[in-house]
Amino acid sequence: MPRRTATMLASTLILIALLCAGVLIRVPYSEMSPGPTVNTLGDARGEPVLHISGHKTYPTSGNLNMTTVRVTGADYDMNIVEAVYGWLAHDSVVVPHDTLYPDGKTEEESTQENAEEFSLSQESAKVAALEELKIPVTSRVVVSTVVKDSAAEGVLHAGDVIKAVDGAAVERPEDVAKLVTKHEPGEDVVFTVIPAKTAAAAEKAGKEPEGSKDVTLTTRKAPEDPSNPSEDRAIVGIQAGTDHTFPFEIDIKLADVGGPSAGLMFSLGIIDKLTPGKLTGGKFIAGTGTIDDDGKVGPIGGINMKLVGARDAGARYFLTPDDNCAAAASDTPGGLTLVRVKTLDDAKKSLEKIRAGDTAGLPGCSAG
């Protein structure tokens, strides 16, 4: 066999072997890519994303699209070929598997966690929107969860309204932990609560719940924190949360979406439906960002994938959380204008500028 032919044959066989190895060898990486975008002013699967009843609503136009990121499953192992292709592709990102599924988290656990975050973000989006419109919302601090085998198990229950701890009024969930941790482990702490059943019955009747009672619990030492092993922190074994009572019904319907990052766009959609005029001015605007009850916009993951998804869907402007601005500005798809937002009010004011055509005055993002 001529030397040249033999060399080509050997090279071909080596290439085939490398390709086979690349397909068969699995690597601990996962892929993120642009997911679907959904107009919060429109429909999804034949029904409105935002359904409001019991209050006057107004026609809307344009788009206020929430954005998503598609990720490979927790049980899927990429091969070397897929990983290299993902690294080279502009519209996807390959990251270590543990980045998306830390501590060996399963896909089912991750889905459940994302669903819970999505539900909480909907509540905060409603509260923030109504507070922005000066529509009163009744909020109460409640027992969100009770830890198994804790001091609170069987004494406090999910849904109990926490009025006070040691006689000090409770305004926010974080107040509970602050008051409990004033104690040393082994000391008694007194909770003033309204039982969940009493609170639910009052809410159903449209009344403020009454009939509080005092419950005494003996604190225990919190599990050791590796970052602060010398700390002896007192706990009772509950997670406090906030329960809201809205003056009318706001229903957010969107399947197969998880995580908290749609909060800002839900709030804007609610505001647009509850106020006269067109918030977008008919423009195609997309965005992302968590939101809390006070309207503060927080950062999210996968910002660059969301930018690509928004641009591909037709968006011209992208509402970008302040903490994501630098990363977004470092790789902005052509034709998309970034708009920096820190609060829901910031976003509203920027939409006013877009509507008026004053785009030169928009707060932008810098990669520096």
Side-chain angles (χ1 to χ4, degrees):
M1 181 183 297
R3 179 179 296 179
R4 184 177 179 183
T5 302
T7 301
M8 291 181 61
L9 178 59
S11 299
T12 301
L13 292 174
I14 291 171
L15 179 60
I16 292 172
L18 289 174
L19 288 173
C20 290
V23 171
L24 294 174
I25 297 175
R26 301 290 167 172
V27 290
Y29 289 93
S30 297
E31 184 179 50
M32 301 169 62
S33 58
T37 75
V38 179
N39 186 9
T40 60
L41 301 176
D43 293 349
R45 297 187 178 181
E47 57 182 350
V49 174
L50 300 175
H51 177 76
I52 299 173
S53 60
H55 192 282
K56 182 175 177 59
T57 58
Y58 298 87
T60 62
S61 68
N63 288 62
L64 285 171
N65 278 42
M66 55 158 286
T67 50
T68 65
V69 175
R70 184 178 287 113
V71 299
T72 51
D75 299 327
Y76 181 75
D77 294 324
M78 299 183 73
N79 60 46
I80 292 178
V81 172
E82 291 171 322
V84 171
Y85 179 82
W87 277 317
L88 296 175
H90 182 69
D91 59 351
S92 66
V93 175
V94 174
V95 297
H97 187 276
D98 290 346
T99 301
L100 299 178
Y101 304 100
D103 302 322
K105 188 181 296 181
T106 66
E107 188 169 351
E108 182 178 337
E109 290 170 337
S110 180
T111 299
Q112 176 63 30
E113 183 178 301
N114 285 335
E116 291 172 359
E117 290 179 339
F118 186 61
S119 178
L120 290 173
S121 76
Q122 292 181 38
E123 290 296 292
S124 292
K126 296 174 190 177
V127 175
L130 296 190
E131 292 288 350
E132 183 71 21
L133 296 175
K134 311 301 182 188
I135 299 174
V137 177
T138 302
S139 300
R140 299 189 294 263
V141 177
V142 298
V143 176
S144 180
T145 57
V146 179
V147 178
K148 184 176 175 58
D149 297 326
S150 68
E153 185 180 22
V155 183
L156 296 179
H157 304 86
D160 287 350
V161 178
I162 305 173
K163 302 293 290 183
V165 176
D166 291 331
V170 168
E171 302 289 339
R172 292 176 173 269
E174 52 266 32
D175 294 342
V176 178
K178 289 178 181 178
L179 291 166
V180 170
T181 53
K182 286 184 177 181
H183 290 270
E184 296 292 330
E187 292 181 350
D188 287 345
V189 58
V190 179
F191 278 74
T192 302
V193 301
I194 297 175
K197 289 184 179 179
T198 302
E203 183 176 342
K204 188 175 182 180
K207 300 178 180 179
E208 192 65 28
E210 299 177 351
S212 62
K213 64 177 183 177
D214 288 343
V215 175
T216 301
L217 298 170
T218 302
T219 62
R220 299 178 184 177
K221 181 181 175 181
E224 265 195 19
D225 181 355
S227 64
N228 194 359
S230 63
E231 182 185 28
D232 289 339
R233 184 166 53 89
I235 61 170
V236 295
I238 67 164
Q239 179 71 45
T242 306
D243 179 62
H244 304 290
T245 301
F246 299 101
F248 49 88
E249 183 180 351
I250 304 174
D251 193 13
I252 300 176
K253 294 189 176 183
L254 195 57
D256 302 325
V257 176
S261 65
L264 170 63
M265 303 312 291
F266 283 144
S267 286
L268 290 171
I270 293 168
I271 289 172
D272 199 2
K273 284 178 173 284
L274 290 176
T275 52
K278 311 293 174 62
L279 196 61
T280 68
K283 303 291 194 303
F284 195 137
I285 298 157
T288 188
T290 66
I291 201 161
D292 64 16
D293 291 359
D294 297 322
K296 182 179 178 182
V297 176
I300 52 78
I303 183 67
N304 298 100
M305 297 300 96
K306 292 184 176 183
L307 294 176
V308 173
R311 190 275 312 276
D312 291 348
R316 296 288 305 279
Y317 303 91
F318 194 92
L319 303 179
T320 312
D322 181 61
D323 289 340
N324 290 121
C325 255
S330 68
D331 190 19
T332 308
L336 195 63
T337 299
L338 302 183
V339 181
R340 175 170 46 85
V341 294
K342 293 183 179 180
T343 66
L344 178 58
D345 190 56
D346 285 347
K348 274 186 62 187
K349 289 176 179 176
S350 289
L351 291 181
E352 290 173 8
K353 290 180 181 295
I354 293 172
R355 191 166 65 246
D358 181 20
T359 56
L362 289 172
C365 290
S366 171

